[in-house]
Amino acid sequence: MTARFTKFLANTFKLATSDVANQYALPVKSMTGAFVSSYGAKKSRRLNEKVVESMGVGRDDFVFEIGFGRGDAMGMCFEKVKDGRGMIFGVERSGYMNERVFKRFVLEIAETDKIRIDSAVDLRNLPYPTDLFDHVFHVNLFYFLQQDSLVDINRELLRVLKPGGTLTCGMQFDRLKKLTEHRILEETQWDPMRYLWALEAAEFSDVKINYHTDPQMGEYQIISARKSTDPLDGQDPEELMKKLAMDMKKERLAVAMMNDKKEAEDSL
């Protein structure tokens, strides 16, 4: 009886842990979703403040947040642009979070048209034109993205950034280690090297991670990258020459084929 009860408790704990992990990744409208999203927002608020501060958002900037959660960082960015020509955009996979944040900013959306909330099921295909944003950022997000999609997602983020625009990612190792201890995350999910590699593979420039200390939350980390103003910046010269040589061969082949076709037609 004792062994059976112990097994029951273990299975119950496993299911509860799995539910919490799922709610961290994609909150749904439920008691667990409300608690986890509220707890996560409270724990991340200071980190959001530091990330927004680090971006140096100007009053005329266009800012894009991925995975805005309960909208704290969007509200901070709105305060930066509300008296200028700037706008704040955000995408979130969770319909529950979309609903909550729309209600939170319903007056700002209606009266200023400076906040736009969109759903994005696939971050590899964003509903925005090329070279739109001055800043793209996310906090506590990339851990929940598939490894084999990271490079393509970052290529899409690079596309929507203006030349010279910045990408910023905030994280806090100490908190992530605790979530790993509680089996909410796997350590491989939040390995920063995984994300740095994906940014470089997507051809971002100036990819780096900086370590900071805050009296309220202790140590935190900010990953940053930039979209180059020079389309050739950061590319391997040897690879560029190989591509150029291949393009020239293709062009010569196309010209030769067109000439052969013309000669054949003239001989008829």
Side-chain angles (χ1 to χ4, degrees):
M1 182 70 176
T2 303
R4 189 177 301 174
F5 183 67
T6 302
K7 185 177 180 181
F8 170 77
L9 287 178
N11 288 336
T12 301
F13 176 77
K14 186 176 180 180
L15 288 171
T17 302
S18 176
D19 184 36
V20 171
N22 290 335
Q23 296 286 0
Y24 258 97
L26 189 66
V28 297
K29 197 169 187 177
S30 63
M31 288 183 63
T32 306
F35 172 78
V36 169
S37 62
S38 178
Y39 177 80
K42 182 178 179 181
K43 286 292 185 180
S44 299
R45 182 168 180 81
R46 184 65 175 167
L47 182 57
N48 276 312
E49 289 176 355
K50 289 298 182 180
V51 167
V52 172
E53 179 184 305
S54 75
M55 292 191 296
V57 177
R59 66 201 301 269
D60 298 327
D61 287 350
F62 276 45
V63 184
F64 175 40
E65 182 178 13
I66 312 154
F68 49 70
R70 287 189 168 231
D72 286 347
M74 289 187 76
M76 297 170 196
C77 290
F78 173 75
E79 291 300 314
K80 304 279 188 183
V81 306
K82 66 180 182 180
D83 296 322
R85 295 193 301 271
M87 285 187 66
I88 310 303
F89 294 72
V91 295
E92 171 66 61
R93 291 190 304 163
S94 168
Y96 176 43
M97 292 296 95
N98 265 317
E99 179 185 335
R100 287 193 66 99
V101 172
F102 183 83
K103 288 179 179 178
R104 175 176 178 172
F105 296 118
V106 65
L107 289 179
E108 290 85 348
I109 292 170
E111 294 177 0
T112 71
D113 200 29
K114 285 183 170 292
I115 295 180
R116 172 169 166 171
I117 296 170
D118 295 302
S119 295
V121 176
D122 188 351
L123 293 176
R124 295 168 297 183
N125 185 23
L126 295 171
Y128 308 117
T130 299
D131 299 343
L132 177 63
F133 300 111
D134 298 279
H135 307 281
V136 171
F137 76 101
H138 52 87
V139 175
N140 294 325
L141 172 79
F142 80 84
Y143 335 131
F144 305 111
L145 303 177
Q146 293 294 325
Q147 170 73 37
D148 57 4
S149 300
L150 270 182
V151 175
D152 288 337
I153 289 171
N154 282 318
R155 284 196 183 113
E156 182 69 348
L157 299 181
L158 186 73
R159 180 186 70 79
V160 299
L161 265 175
K162 292 178 180 177
T166 63
L167 178 141
T168 307
C169 162
M171 58 194 304
Q172 193 176 5
F173 290 170
D174 289 345
R175 182 170 173 236
L176 295 169
K177 287 176 183 176
K178 289 180 181 178
L179 291 175
T180 301
E181 290 171 3
H182 292 118
R183 301 179 184 178
I184 305 301
L185 290 173
E186 297 288 339
E187 190 169 350
T188 54
Q189 287 179 263
W190 55 268
D191 179 0
M193 295 301 106
R194 180 168 82 104
Y195 197 59
L196 292 170
W197 169 83
L199 288 168
E200 290 178 344
E203 300 183 358
F204 272 92
S205 300
D206 300 334
V207 178
K208 56 190 174 184
I209 180 169
N210 289 317
Y211 294 75
H212 306 271
T213 301
D214 177 74
Q216 291 186 31
M217 65 176 171
E219 190 176 84
Y220 65 97
Q221 298 75 33
I222 291 183
I223 294 174
S224 61
R226 180 177 61 87
K227 181 173 181 175
S228 175
T229 55
D230 180 354
L232 302 183
D233 186 23
Q235 296 194 43
D236 186 336
E238 291 187 9
E239 291 298 320
L240 285 172
M241 291 304 295
K242 287 179 183 178
K243 185 177 184 301
L244 179 60
M246 182 63 69
D247 289 344
M248 291 174 66
K249 287 179 182 179
K250 290 178 180 178
E251 185 177 344
R252 286 198 296 268
L253 179 60
V255 171
M257 291 176 65
M258 289 177 64
N259 288 338
D260 289 344
K261 182 180 179 181
K262 186 176 185 305
E263 290 177 3
E265 292 174 347
D266 291 343
S267 64
L268 294 177

